[in-house]
Amino acid sequence: MNLFFQVMSNQSKRAGMGAEALEMIAARFRVLSEASRLKLIIALESGEKNVSALVAGTGLTQANVSRQLQALTDAGILGRRKEGLNVIYHIADKSIFDMCDHVCGSLQRRIEDQALLLSPGRKKTGAGKV
Amino acid sequence: MNLFFQVMSNQSKRAGMGAEALEMIAARFRVLSEASRLKLIIALESGEKNVSALVAGTGLTQANVSRQLQALTDAGILGRRKEGLNVIYHIADKSIFDMCDHVCGSLQRRIEDQALLLSPGRKKTGAGKV
DNA sequence: TGACTATATAACCGTATAGTTATATTGTCA
DNA sequence: TGACAATATAACTATACGGTTATATAGTCA
């Protein structure tokens, strides 16, 4: 299966996507649409941590951390494990980081393009992937 | 630069990410967190369209379409071009589709895992990429 | 058992925003 | 010019949800 076919295949898949499927995808993005939750995800990237460590590491309040961890776990992005009094969270869906990097790249390109518009002296480098 | 280094590099980049950067990324995800906007993006995947066509194609009201197109354009996801009375929109950042496919794959895996939990008779296939 | 710790939950407030209706703007054509 | 069409915007309502404070739950240890 070549790339062209793959692309076309996904395209028609998306075009025929039902309302429920769209809503699920939107919900997934919604979970990632709050800086506090991203903070928690990033804090967990270096390894699993309990709630107290996350509170200390992020500066968020305990109640807030608990709530957001709940949302992330419900979404399947995090997993949890009890150990005595502690609850230890870990990244369950590592593809999250690919997404973040994707967005970062996209933003980078956008910012570069804007800078280009403001100071048209410099030439565009071939950095834009798309 | 090998993959391990790339990953570690991105990881430390993310760990040191400023609050503003996090907020920008969150905002990016927020734009994609509404089914109506995803609908518009998908409608534009097969080619540029004017507003009327998007209204007809999505079933959303004209005012709503106009508002959501505005948000998507502000975010750099769509681009616009005037042609007489019409305004024609197009996908400006095609990497959006990679993201959608990423989310789809992630959801798929999640659903499969849940199905597995509910009917433990079947074996897990090696489909999970992460 | 009771004191203590880690985490979760409830109740609440404030704000952001999706969608609607009505209207304004902008361009075309007679 | 005026009538019309395509799009954008303003004003409004309703709702969702992030963050806070206070309290509940669950586990540990004396």
Side-chain angles (χ1 to χ4, degrees):
Chain A
M1 192 192 326
N2 63 28
L3 183 61
F4 178 75
F5 182 73
Q6 265 189 37
V7 169
M8 296 318 279
S9 165
N10 279 343
Q11 176 170 345
S12 56
K13 249 189 238 167
R14 279 191 293 267
M17 215 174 263
E20 340 72 45
L22 265 186
E23 193 45 63
M24 288 186 71
I25 297 175
R28 190 72 173 211
F29 282 123
R30 199 170 298 129
V31 177
L32 300 175
S33 74
E34 205 66 29
S36 57
R37 284 192 287 264
L38 293 179
K39 230 173 174 177
L40 288 167
I41 292 174
I42 291 171
L44 286 171
E45 190 172 14
S46 57
E48 56 177 20
K49 289 183 180 54
N50 68 7
V51 179
S52 307
L54 289 170
V55 170
T58 61
L60 304 171
T61 67
Q62 183 267 318
N64 195 14
V65 165
S66 199
R67 263 166 64 97
Q68 308 309 337
L69 288 174
Q70 181 74 34
L72 289 164
T73 306
D74 287 350
I77 294 170
L78 302 186
R80 43 190 300 177
R81 174 167 63 85
K82 294 198 77 167
E83 205 167 78
L85 268 180
N86 297 315
V87 178
I88 296 161
Y89 285 85
H90 66 270
I91 306 284
D93 182 353
K94 298 211 164 103
S95 71
I96 287 302
F97 295 114
D98 297 351
M99 305 242 324
C100 284
D101 292 342
H102 235 97
V103 169
C104 285
S106 178
L107 285 173
Q108 194 99 33
R109 265 172 269 133
R110 180 164 155 66
I111 288 168
E112 276 163 12
D113 288 355
Q114 284 177 341
L116 213 66
L117 288 179
L118 294 176
S119 68
R122 20 200 124 225
K123 262 185 296 188
K124 167 144 184 164
T125 75
K129 197 178 69 177
V130 171
Chain B
M1 195 193 323
N2 64 26
L3 183 62
F4 178 75
F5 181 73
Q6 266 189 39
V7 169
M8 296 318 279
S9 166
N10 279 345
Q11 177 170 344
S12 56
K13 247 188 238 165
R14 278 190 294 265
M17 215 175 264
E20 340 73 45
L22 266 185
E23 193 44 65
M24 287 186 71
I25 297 175
R28 190 70 173 214
F29 282 123
R30 199 169 300 128
V31 176
L32 301 175
S33 74
E34 203 68 28
S36 57
R37 285 192 287 265
L38 293 179
K39 229 172 175 179
L40 288 167
I41 291 173
I42 291 171
L44 285 170
E45 190 173 14
S46 57
E48 56 176 20
K49 290 185 178 53
N50 67 7
V51 179
S52 306
L54 289 170
V55 170
T58 62
L60 305 171
T61 65
Q62 182 266 319
N64 196 14
V65 166
S66 199
R67 264 167 62 99
Q68 308 308 339
L69 288 175
Q70 180 75 33
L72 289 165
T73 306
D74 287 350
I77 295 170
L78 302 186
R80 44 191 300 179
R81 173 167 63 85
K82 295 199 73 166
E83 206 168 76
L85 267 181
N86 296 317
V87 177
I88 296 162
Y89 285 85
H90 63 92
I91 307 283
D93 181 353
K94 298 212 165 105
S95 72
I96 287 303
F97 295 113
D98 296 351
M99 305 241 323
C100 283
D101 291 342
H102 235 96
V103 169
C104 285
S106 177
L107 285 173
Q108 193 98 33
R109 264 171 270 135
R110 180 163 155 65
I111 288 167
E112 276 163 13
D113 288 354
Q114 284 179 342
L116 212 65
L117 288 179
L118 293 176
S119 68
R122 20 202 123 223
K123 262 185 295 189
K124 167 146 186 165
T125 73
K129 198 178 64 177
V130 171

